[in-house]
Amino acid sequence: MTHPIDSIEFASLLCSRLCHDLLSPVGALNNGLELMADETDPDMRQRCLDLLADSARTSANKLKFFRLAFGSAGGFGDAVPPHEARVAIEGMFARTGRVKIGWMVEEQMLGKLPVKVLLNLALIVGDALVRGGQLDIGAEKRPGVTEIVVRGEGPKVVLDPDLRAALAGTLPAEGLASRTAAAWMVRQLVTNAGGEIALSPAGEPMLLFGASIPE
């Protein structure tokens, strides 16, 4: 995609995406509080408390993930412990039991850019596993480059064609929306760093994304 995108426009789209993802758990918190205000039955009050606790955990997990994937998490250094990324990904997907995480990262530290790319690719592939499945994530540092691989396989894998186009760099300017903002950002981050993104062909029973990021 060669059409320049205004930074404020892109920030607005990304904010819309984050608000959309947080609306459900935060709304559930509000509903639980409203139910608690009028409920006197002990069993029902306990169910409301369980709802509140689950919604609070979901909201916290999403915020932790978004902080790493879209923010400037990890302080002011140039590297982030991969364990933080693993915890964030497991909080987004593994807690429900629908998606199993395979973690194949042995590095003690990774650059902030590779971590952002890894998290966003994992988010895209994980969301494509609409009926659950296996989400495998790998990263390796070699002389002068960090290699990232994210693989998803499950009973039903559905990737929005616009997301694929955003990652491939073929999305037209009018196709950029809140749902494609993260994929567009990944493409820009990698290519601006002089790296490359590889995508498995459309129609395959699994998704396989790769990124090579020069150091």
Side-chain angles (χ1 to χ4, degrees), residues 40-58:
T40 57
D41 180 79
D43 290 338
M44 288 301 297
R45 287 183 67 85
Q46 184 58 52
R47 292 181 62 182
C48 289
L49 287 172
D50 293 340
L51 171 65
L52 288 170
D54 184 68
S55 298
R57 282 192 298 269
T58 300

Side-chain angles (χ1 to χ4, degrees), residues 105-213:
V105 182
E106 297 183 358
E107 305 293 342
Q108 296 301 307
M109 300 291 285
L110 286 174
K112 283 186 177 181
L113 175 55
V115 167
K116 284 185 182 295
V117 172
L118 181 151
L119 285 166
N120 280 281
L121 290 180
L123 178 63
I124 294 168
V125 175
D127 284 345
L129 302 176
V130 294
R131 294 182 182 171
Q134 181 72 29
L135 176 62
D136 294 322
I137 301 156
E140 182 182 10
K141 292 173 66 175
R142 296 189 291 105
V145 67
T146 299
E147 301 280 358
I148 295 169
V149 176
V150 179
R151 177 182 181 274
E153 188 171 14
K156 187 173 183 180
V157 181
V158 179
L159 179 65
D160 186 331
D162 284 346
L163 289 176
R164 177 180 290 278
L167 287 171
T170 60
L171 184 71
E174 60 272 17
L176 185 60
S178 60
R179 74 181 189 283
T180 55
W184 183 87
M185 181 185 71
V186 169
R187 176 76 187 184
Q188 297 304 307
L189 289 173
V190 173
T191 56
N192 288 346
E196 297 180 351
I197 291 180
L199 312 173
S200 57
E204 293 289 321
M206 69 172 184
L207 285 177
L208 183 63
F209 293 168
S212 298
I213 304 171

Side-chain angles (χ1 to χ4, degrees), residues 22 56-71 73-74 84-85 87-89 91-92 119:
L22 288 169
R57 282 192 298 269
T58 300
S59 299
N61 287 338
K62 286 180 178 289
L63 285 171
K64 288 177 183 177
F65 185 95
F66 294 150
R67 174 176 172 266
L68 277 174
F70 304 125
E84 292 187 20
V87 171
I89 292 170
M92 286 287 284
L119 285 166

